Amino acid sequence: MSFSIKKQGDIVVVDVEGQLIVGNRQELKQKVLDELEKGEKKFLIDFSQTGYIDSSGLGVLVSLSKKIREQGGELRLANLNDDLKTLFELTKLDTLFQIADTRERALESF
Amino acid sequence: MTDIRSRGEEAAPLGELRIALEVSISSDVRYIERVVEIVRSQCMAVLFAPRHCALNVPVALSEALSNAILYGNGEDPGKHVRVRAQVDDEQLVLEVADEGGGFDLDEETTDPTQLENIEREDGRGLFLMQQLMDRVERFDDHGNVIRLTLRRGS
């Protein structure tokens, strides 16, 4: 499991490869916060290569969403498969995040 | 230690196939993914629904293991978490045991979907277990045990 970060224009795109769970959530949090500190404002997290997410992974996404908003930035999520969508719906986090079906749509939405 | 016992053959009717498995780990969250993968592969072996194998079982078991390691055993590497899994044609039963004093399931469960809780970073673990499993029980057996039951047809 790992996270890769790249810039697409002025948008920071993070790919979550594998699981987002208690054992690695801090790594994702730190990577995104580092970019935020550098002054980046637009963030897209892409889940096309993600297996499952646990409650602490969801918690980190909530935390990042707040921190990015506090800095006047925006966060989008993209490519949740049906199982991951169910997870967001069960926790009603689909109401908190802006979620796009594809990476392209998410990039266009900024 | 992993102990896998299975009865029946691949071509036998599903009703004859039962898997019992026991895994013991020290209190380190880095083991969670591997234990989940072991159990998930057994669910696939007895042809549980893809959603159960990809979502319900991995997330619920991951939550139970996190609770046991972080809260039950306080991440003390000298303390262990034991996982027992039994899968057959009807249901999956998972038991996750730690060396802690336990907790009250009803008191500890908050509703993270309430407006006032939606932006909380924590408080979704037990809720997710209850949403993703048919039954969640807690009991004491020389330590704290959480039992998760998922019926095949649910």
Side-chain angles (χ1 to χ4, degrees):
Chain A
M1 53 191 179
S2 66
F3 310 102
S4 67
I5 290 199
K6 57 184 114 167
K7 281 290 292 287
Q8 199 148 338
D10 62 348
I11 301 165
V12 177
V13 181
V14 185
D15 282 289
V16 178
E17 293 155 11
Q19 332 309 341
L20 174 56
I21 54 177
V22 63
N24 68 347
R25 65 188 162 143
Q26 284 302 335
E27 189 189 336
L28 173 70
K29 188 172 182 178
Q30 198 52 55
K31 283 190 168 180
V32 172
L33 290 180
D34 287 347
E35 297 297 320
L36 194 63
E37 270 188 30
K38 284 186 213 162
E40 300 294 345
K41 297 280 189 216
K42 297 176 181 175
F43 293 86
L44 163 59
I45 304 182
D46 189 317
F47 294 96
S48 58
Q49 297 170 73
T50 309
Y52 58 93
I53 302 175
D54 71 4
S55 64
S56 59
L58 293 172
V60 156
L61 295 174
V62 170
S63 162
L64 287 174
S65 147
K66 276 195 276 187
K67 288 183 189 303
I68 290 170
R69 230 181 310 138
E70 281 163 14
Q71 300 294 318
E74 294 171 81
L75 171 66
R76 306 275 193 272
L77 310 182
N79 276 321
L80 295 171
N81 65 31
D82 286 346
D83 294 330
L84 292 178
K85 268 185 204 155
T86 299
L87 202 58
F88 278 74
E89 286 162 10
L90 282 175
T91 51
K92 294 223 166 88
L93 287 176
D94 57 330
T95 63
L96 186 70
F97 292 102
Q98 295 201 46
I99 301 171
D101 284 343
T102 65
R103 193 179 183 112
E104 290 69 31
R105 281 197 190 151
L107 289 168
E108 286 165 11
S109 71
F110 282 100
Chain B
M1 188 184 73
T2 306
D3 174 26
I4 300 178
R5 297 185 300 272
S6 61
R7 200 148 56 79
E9 293 175 8
E10 217 172 322
L14 211 51
E16 294 300 311
L17 182 61
R18 283 188 172 77
I19 296 172
L21 167 87
E22 184 165 329
V23 185
S24 176
I25 56 170
S26 68
S27 300
D28 186 329
V29 292
R30 288 174 297 182
Y31 287 115
I32 291 177
E33 194 174 0
R34 283 161 68 189
V35 175
V36 167
E37 187 50 40
I38 290 168
V39 174
R40 199 177 71 91
S41 65
Q42 304 312 313
C43 293
M44 291 166 73
V46 293
L47 304 176
F48 261 65
R51 164 155 294 195
H52 285 168
C53 300
L55 176 71
N56 301 61
V57 172
V59 176
L61 178 55
S62 186
E63 300 300 343
L65 286 167
S66 297
N67 281 347
I69 291 168
L70 298 176
Y71 305 116
N73 288 351
E75 285 192 276
D76 178 347
K79 291 182 175 175
H80 287 77
V81 173
R82 193 193 71 234
V83 181
R84 282 184 177 152
Q86 288 187 55
V87 197
D88 60 30
D89 61 322
E90 288 184 359
Q91 62 182 15
L92 162 78
V93 180
L94 296 170
E95 287 181 7
V96 177
D98 62 51
E99 299 180 43
F103 57 91
D104 187 329
L105 261 181
D106 294 329
E107 278 187 21
E108 295 285 337
T109 309
T110 54
D111 183 353
T113 65
Q114 293 294 309
L115 200 58
E116 66 269 24
N117 295 331
I118 199 87
E119 289 209 85
R120 276 182 60 168
E121 290 171 39
D122 58 357
R124 294 183 182 85
L126 282 170
F127 173 83
L128 278 177
M129 276 193 259
Q130 286 168 333
Q131 292 289 315
L132 295 170
M133 291 283 128
D134 290 309
R135 199 181 314 138
V136 178
E137 301 156 282
R138 196 204 74 80
F139 59 94
D140 295 298
D141 181 19
H142 306 293
N144 173 52
V145 184
I146 283 275
R147 181 190 286 148
L148 308 172
T149 305
L150 179 66
R151 286 190 300 274
R152 173 187 292 277
S154 61

